[in-house]
Amino acid sequence: MKNQIRYTVLALGLLAVGYYVWHGLTSDDVFGWVGPQMALPIIAVTIVPIAFAFTGDGIISAFTGNNSSEFRHGLVGLGTVEGVRQTGVYLNEQPQVRIDFRVEGADGKVFASHAKMIVPLTQLALLRPGVVLPVRYLPANLDKVEVDLSGDTSAAQEAMNAAMIRKGFTTPAKLDIARRGLSAQAVVRSLSVPGEIRDGYTRLDLVLVVTRPDGTTFETRTEKFLPPTAVALVQVGRIVGVHYLPENEQEVVLSLPVNTAN
């Protein structure tokens, strides 16, 4: 849609200027260049830059709240923020920013890319290195992505789950527990660090005391790979969210937020 708007406006602008020049060259009137026809090139010179500005990356999405038509049905990947800087463009006093991403695609391929979007000043501080966001991308053009605005949390969760399985951070069985299991709270009784590290994530062995819905408790052990910024969430004495199946209380899955960078 962005290119269609630009091509249409540019064509109308060229037509307006062309008509003005043609009228001036073919008119027998000494004032052939002066008259109402002068409004056409003036309007063209005004409208064309505005159209190009308001169809810039992230501008249409800011108006519609949706991804551009080009990316609306793109594949969903996981984008880890590596850097953010303002472009100098503003819309309603809200800045446009360029976000540099390290993206993990649906097939596990990792590539560098970027997105441009309008971000309210109140949310700008949330875009910090290490934050993970679902993004839409086109396999034929990996240089540019868009932050997913579809609100389809299931697609983002599927991308996250696939990535976690590929890296060995979880298993299909544990994901099944997270989907079907009972939600409960648990207290961290003990914590040990075996020293195993995968992709910058450290393995933690935990002993948890889980509270059943009826108020009784049981003790179980589990392991979790976490980034260094999330280790504080599972310190001894902390209350954490878990999921488990009543028929197998020894398999417990922790429920922790994805973005824990400070």
Side-chain angles (χ1 to χ4, degrees), residues 12-72:
L12 292 176
L14 291 175
L15 184 62
V17 173
Y19 174 78
Y20 172 72
V21 173
W22 173 82
H23 186 278
L25 292 175
T26 59
S27 176
D28 294 331
D29 193 334
V30 68
F31 297 107
W33 294 93
V34 180
Q37 66 275 14
M38 292 180 61
L40 294 176
I42 293 174
I43 293 174
V45 171
T46 303
I47 296 298
V48 170
I50 292 176
F52 272 70
F54 278 84
T55 54
D57 291 338
I59 304 296
I60 293 179
S61 294
F63 279 117
T64 64
N66 298 315
N67 289 101
S68 67
S69 58
E70 181 183 9
F71 284 88
R72 196 163 298 158

Side-chain angles (χ1 to χ4, degrees), residues 144-195:
K144 185 171 65 174
V145 299
E146 288 188 6
V147 174
D148 183 30
L149 302 176
S150 67
D152 184 0
T153 57
S154 61
Q157 188 62 55
E158 288 179 8
M160 175 65 72
N161 292 344
M164 298 291 278
I165 291 174
R166 282 194 298 268
K167 295 174 182 178
F169 295 159
T170 190
T171 64
K174 289 184 177 180
L175 291 176
D176 181 59
I177 293 173
R179 283 192 294 265
R180 299 193 299 115
L182 295 177
S183 178
Q185 288 188 331
V187 178
V188 180
R189 172 162 287 182
S190 69
L191 164 69
S192 62
V193 184

Side-chain angles (χ1 to χ4, degrees), residues 79-87 96-103 112-117 119 124-133 145 147:
T80 301
V81 177
E82 294 194 321
V84 180
R85 64 177 184 272
Q86 296 190 28
T87 64
Q96 181 194 61
V97 299
R98 173 187 165 116
I99 310 171
D100 293 318
F101 283 112
R102 185 181 75 256
V103 179
S113 192
H114 77 276
K116 290 182 180 179
M117 63 185 302
V119 179
L124 196 56
L126 300 177
L127 290 175
R128 55 188 183 275
V131 167
V132 179
L133 298 172
V145 299
V147 174

Side-chain angles (χ1 to χ4, degrees), residues 214-233:
D214 62 4
T216 60
T217 62
F218 65 91
E219 185 175 289
T220 187
R221 297 174 180 272
T222 189
E223 67 178 40
K224 183 77 171 178
F225 283 87
L226 292 175
T229 53
V231 174
L233 299 177

